[in-house]
Amino acid sequence: MPKIIRLRPDNFTPPARTPWGGQRILNHYKAGLALAPEKKAYPVVGESWEFSVDPSFPSLEADAPHRPIQRIIEDEPLPFLGASCLAKYGPSTPILVKLLDAAEALSVQVHPRNDDPRLAANESGKPEAWLILEAQKGAGIYLGLAHGVSQAQLADALATEAELTPMLNFVHVKAGDAFVIEPGVVHAIGAGVTLLEPQLCYPGKSGKTYRFWDWGRRFDAAGQLDPKGELRPLHVEESLAVCRYDGPRGDDFVRSVRFEAQRLEERTGARLRRLLQVEDLELLMLDGNGQYTLPTEDQMLLALVLNGKAKLGEQFLRRGEAAVVSAASQQVEIRLEYAELAICKLHSRAPSAHHG
């Protein structure tokens, strides 16, 4: 029998941390689920950490006694993680998966490389990727710098608190678009976008994000917009140092970071595709209305229902619910009911090219 553990569906960051959040997570993806009363009362939800071993927002077992998933892994590291993950990362996992809903644009950010000399001993880079789930008309993301923008021009604009929008490359998006956010890439999620964000946060270290512009917004102590409030802390010097200024810009750059879906298998009633791959992390999508047997390939799997319903072994999941399948399960029987099931896992193969 496969070992499958359902996770609590309400691992939300507080509104003061994500004041840019919207209503889609609460009112759509988590609608009708058993949420803690205080979480139901959140005015907005910007982030739902669907799978996390981070002590700040750990994923908890849905059934009593609500143990953190990290504790479950530590009790049985080899059966849960599989041999290759355990050998590379120890008794934990680097996988972090978030749902994000942006009613307003997020701050403009950049991540350093893992070998960046500015990183402290307990810090690392944070490779991540985006799968667009929903986008309002005209909505998009910011990816890279606009044509002709140099480091000196960017530094001058930041020093004078100039409007930075013309210096950023805006990309209109639609549901199904997927992008790999590599180190040094300037990026921000625009208003009206809901997405799934798989990322690698190395165990025992904090994935580093440098925020270098926040649209001039000011916030009060509760995280609410307030023209008399304070600016969020910025990391201008570090951001300028790690940004990539070489390589293509504009459409050529977007093509270089766009991940084209790869069809893996199609059966009557079910289709399996690879939607994203960043380093040794991959995001699969199993969708349809039928039965599918999915091998674990000696890796722990995270499964999140984005639409419809799914049954994994004996665990029944509705939209907005996630479960972990242990590596030692070898395979899991999945029954889809007009479902979209996102599956995140590690692999030991080298990443394939994602260039368009």
Side-chain angles (χ1 to χ4, degrees):
M1 286 288 290
K3 192 158 190 178
I4 302 171
I5 295 177
R6 287 192 313 117
L7 303 177
R8 283 194 59 85
D10 54 2
N11 193 19
F12 305 155
T13 52
R17 178 183 169 115
T18 55
W20 40 263
Q23 297 285 332
R24 290 298 289 168
I25 291 176
L26 269 177
N27 295 342
H28 178 70
Y29 292 98
K30 306 295 181 174
L33 300 181
L35 310 180
E38 66 273 15
K39 303 292 181 70
K40 285 184 178 180
Y42 278 4
V44 297
V45 173
E47 296 182 357
S48 177
W49 291 34
E50 298 302 321
F51 179 82
S52 165
V53 296
D54 189 308
S56 302
F57 297 98
S59 292
L60 303 177
E61 184 180 10
D63 302 315
H66 303 322
R67 294 177 298 168
I69 190 64
Q70 174 60 36
R71 189 180 305 166
I72 296 172
I73 290 172
E74 289 172 352
D75 288 343
E76 300 180 83
L78 181 59
F80 259 94
L81 297 174
S84 61
C85 180
L86 183 60
K88 185 172 183 177
Y89 297 105
S92 190
T93 175
I95 297 176
L96 173 61
V97 181
K98 301 179 184 179
L99 269 175
L100 285 89
D101 179 36
E104 299 179 24
L106 276 68
S107 61
V108 181
Q109 305 173 353
V110 65
H111 301 303
R113 303 183 68 88
N114 285 325
D115 59 358
D116 192 285
R118 299 163 191 80
L119 293 173
N122 65 337
E123 296 176 336
S124 71
K126 192 171 67 167
E128 63 185 34
W130 292 344
L131 173 66
I132 308 301
L133 301 179
E134 300 179 53
Q136 296 175 7
K137 185 177 180 181
I141 58 177
Y142 297 86
L143 271 183
L145 298 171
H147 284 288
V149 176
S150 67
Q151 182 176 13
Q153 291 172 318
L154 189 59
D156 182 67
L158 290 168
T160 58
E161 299 186 5
E163 173 70 28
L164 221 65
T165 305
M167 295 187 167
L168 304 175
N169 187 45
F170 183 75
V171 182
H172 291 282
V173 295
K174 64 184 183 305
D177 288 345
F179 305 91
V180 175
I181 313 299
E182 297 177 335
V185 173
V186 174
H187 61 279
I189 303 170
V193 174
T194 304
L195 57 79
L196 189 67
E197 182 183 73
Q199 53 186 260
L200 287 164
C201 291
Y202 295 89
K205 295 190 176 185
S206 173
K208 194 66 178 177
T209 296
Y210 294 134
R211 180 191 303 121
F212 67 87
W213 195 58
D214 196 27
W215 315 95
R217 296 178 294 200
R218 294 178 178 271
F219 299 91
D220 62 20
Q224 300 301 306
L225 284 170
D226 183 351
K228 297 181 180 180
E230 299 291 330
L231 295 169
R232 298 172 78 187
L234 301 177
H235 316 95
V236 174
E237 181 179 346
E238 297 91 337
S239 299
L240 288 169
V242 304
C243 280
R244 286 175 51 185
Y245 303 97
D246 59 345
R249 300 280 179 96
D251 291 344
D252 289 340
F253 172 71
V254 174
R255 279 192 291 271
S256 76
V257 297
R258 186 188 295 272
F259 194 97
E260 299 295 341
Q262 301 167 352
R263 183 173 296 180
L264 301 180
E265 189 174 12
E266 191 160 356
R267 302 177 185 175
T268 302
R271 174 180 62 165
L272 182 67
R273 293 169 294 153
R274 180 181 294 114
L275 297 190
L276 280 167
Q277 191 167 321
V278 53
E279 296 191 9
D280 60 351
L281 174 67
E282 63 180 347
L283 177 69
L284 309 177
M285 181 69 73
L286 181 64
D287 57 12
N289 183 48
Q291 194 83 15
Y292 193 91
T293 302
L294 182 69
T296 65
E297 298 179 326
D298 194 40
Q299 294 290 347
M300 181 180 69
L301 310 178
L302 168 74
L304 169 66
V305 179
L306 295 173
N307 278 303
K309 301 175 182 179
K311 189 177 182 183
L312 280 68
E314 298 303 314
Q315 295 281 12
F316 186 79
L317 304 177
R318 293 186 290 165
R319 181 177 60 205
E321 291 186 309
V324 174
V325 181
S326 66
S329 300
Q330 297 186 356
Q331 65 183 34
V332 56
E333 296 294 332
I334 301 174
R335 174 67 190 179
L336 303 171
E337 296 185 21
Y338 300 99
E340 290 181 312
L341 184 68
I343 300 164
C344 200
K345 62 187 282 289
L346 299 176
H347 60 77
S348 56
R349 302 181 302 277
S352 59
H354 61 265
H355 298 270

